[in-house]
C-alpha cells in the first residue's frame, strides 16, 4: 500500500495574535497556503489583513502564535524568510523619474544579480511592457505601473509573493491587467497570498478564499465550498448560485465596521 504524500504548505499560520495598545486586531489566526496556489485573504477595511501580511513578511512581530514561510520560522529565521518572499504593497513602489527598464535594472543591481540588463529585458517582455520599457514610468497607466511594480518584486525569483490589495484605486481595465499578471505568476509556480476587499477579485483569482473577520479566519475554502454554505435560490425555472458577495455578507453581517 502506497501512503499519500502530504505536501508542506508554503505558508503556515497557527494561533497568531496581535494587538496595538488596547485594540486586539488578530485573535488567533490559523491558515495554510499550498505551494503554487493563490489564496485570497478577504476582509473588510480594518479586518487585520495587512497586519497579518506584515507579520508573515517579518515587518511586524506577532504577540503570540507561530508562522512559517517556505518552511522558515518568521520569528527566528527572518533573513531566510525575506530571501524567500517578495511583498507588493497597496501603492506601487516605482521611481517615476526612471524608465521602466531602469527601475528593473536598479533592483537587480541592488540584489547583486548578474546581467541586470538581461533580467530587466526578460521581465519587460514577460509583463508586456517591452514597448514601454524606455519611457519614464510617470507616463505609465495605473495598470502598467502596477505590473512594473510586481515585475520589480519578482527579481531574484522568490517562490512566495504577498500582494496587499494590489488593485486599490485602479480602473477596471487596469485591474484586469493586474489579474492576468497574478494568474500568470501562479501558472509559473509562484505561491501568491493576495489580500483584497474586492469580492469579484477573490472570485476571479483565488484557488482558495479565507475570510478574516474580527481577528480570526471564519471560513476557508474554494469558491464552490463557500457557495455551499448558503442554500440555492430558485425562481420559476431559473436557478441562482449564491455569489461570493452573498456568502461574505451572510458570514460577517452588515453591522457597522470597527476601526482598527
Amino acid at each position: 500500500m502506497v501512503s499519500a504524500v502530504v505536501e508542506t504548505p508554503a505558508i503556515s499560520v497557527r494561533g497568531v495574535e496581535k494587538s496595538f495598545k488596547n485594540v486586539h486586531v488578530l485573535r488567533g489566526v490559523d491558515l495554510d497556503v499550498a505551494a503554487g496556489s493563490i489564496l485570497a485573504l478577504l476582509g473588510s477595511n480594518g479586518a487585520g489583513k495587512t497586519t497579518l501580511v506584515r507579520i508573515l513578511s517579518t515587518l511586524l512581530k506577532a504577540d503570540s502564535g507561530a508562522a512559517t514561510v517556505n518552511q522558515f520560522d518568521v520569528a527566528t529565521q527572518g533573513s531566510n524568510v525575506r530571501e524567500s518572499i517578495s511583498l507588493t504593497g497597496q501603492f506601487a513602489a516605482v521611481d517615476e523619474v526612471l524608465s521602466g527598464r531602469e527601475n528593473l535594472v536598479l533592483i537587480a543591481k541592488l540584489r547583486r544579480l548578474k546581467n541586470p540588463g538581461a533580467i530587466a529585458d526578460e521581465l519587460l517582455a514577460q509583463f508586456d511592457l517591452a514597448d514601454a520599457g524606455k519611457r519614464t514610468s510617470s507616463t505609465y497607466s495605473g495598470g502598467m505601473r502596477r505590473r512594473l511594480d510586481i515585475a520589480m518584486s519578482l527579481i531574484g525569483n522568490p517562490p512566495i509573493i504577498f500582494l496587499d490589495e494590489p488593485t486599490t484605486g485602479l480602473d477596471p481595465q487596469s485591474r484586469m491587467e493586474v489579474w492576468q499578471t497574478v494568474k500568470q505568476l501562479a501558472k509559473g509556480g509562484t505561491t501568491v497570498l493576495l489580500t483584497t476587499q474586492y469580492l469579484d477579485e477573490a472570485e476571479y483569482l483565488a484557488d482558495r478564499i479565507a475570510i478574516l473577520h474580527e481577528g480570526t479566519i471564519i471560513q476557508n475554502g474554494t469558491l464552490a465550498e463557500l457557495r455551499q454554505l448558503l442554500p440555492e435560490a430558485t425562481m420559476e425555472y431559473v436557478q441562482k448560485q449564491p455569489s461570493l458577495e452573498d456568502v461574505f455578507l451572510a458570514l460577517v453581517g452588515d453591522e457597522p465596521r470597527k476601526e482598527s
Side-chain angles (χ1 to χ4, degrees), residues 9-12 68-73 80-81 83-85 159-160:
I11 302 170
S12 181
T68 60
V69 174
N70 202 28
Q71 302 184 48
F72 297 113
D73 189 290
N80 298 104
V81 170
E83 289 176 357
S84 303
I85 68 169
I160 298 167

Side-chain angles (χ1 to χ4, degrees), residues 2-28:
V2 179
S3 59
V5 178
V6 179
E7 293 188 5
T8 303
I11 302 170
S12 181
V13 183
R14 292 292 179 271
V16 166
E17 299 189 14
K18 183 63 182 179
S19 297
F20 298 96
K21 295 184 179 179
N22 62 339
V23 179
H24 206 169
V25 178
L26 301 179
R27 301 171 179 268

Side-chain angles (χ1 to χ4, degrees), residues 178-224:
V178 174
W179 289 358
Q180 295 299 331
T181 297
V182 175
K183 284 281 193 182
Q184 184 181 16
L185 292 178
K187 285 182 179 179
T190 303
T191 302
V192 179
L193 192 156
L194 167 82
T195 75
T196 184
Q197 57 183 315
Y198 298 133
L199 303 180
D200 59 337
E201 186 160 274
E203 198 164 355
Y204 181 84
L205 287 174
D207 298 304
R208 296 186 67 84
I209 299 165
I211 298 178
L212 182 63
H213 183 61
E214 295 185 348
T216 61
I217 302 293
I218 59 173
Q219 287 293 339
N220 182 354
T222 64
L223 179 58

Side-chain angles (χ1 to χ4, degrees), residues 116-145:
I119 292 171
D121 291 336
E122 181 178 347
L123 285 168
L124 288 170
Q126 179 182 345
F127 287 91
D128 198 23
L129 292 169
D131 291 341
K134 294 182 180 180
R135 285 168 40 195
T136 57
S137 55
S138 61
T139 67
Y140 286 11
S141 67
M144 293 171 66
R145 191 177 294 112

Side-chain angles (χ1 to χ4, degrees), residues 88-156:
T88 298
Q90 296 181 18
F91 303 99
V94 172
D95 189 330
E96 296 191 350
V97 175
L98 302 178
S99 69
R101 188 177 189 276
E102 288 169 340
N103 269 284
L104 293 166
V105 167
L106 175 62
I107 299 300
K109 287 182 176 179
L110 289 174
R111 295 196 175 186
R112 300 179 180 179
L113 299 178
K114 296 180 179 179
N115 303 317
I119 292 171
D121 291 336
E122 181 178 347
L123 285 168
L124 288 170
Q126 179 182 345
F127 287 91
D128 198 23
L129 292 169
D131 291 341
K134 294 182 180 180
R135 285 168 40 195
T136 57
S137 55
S138 61
T139 67
Y140 286 11
S141 67
M144 293 171 66
R145 191 177 294 112
R146 177 54 86 182
R147 296 206 315 272
L148 176 61
D149 188 32
I150 295 174
M152 290 164 59
S153 71
L154 290 178
I155 291 176

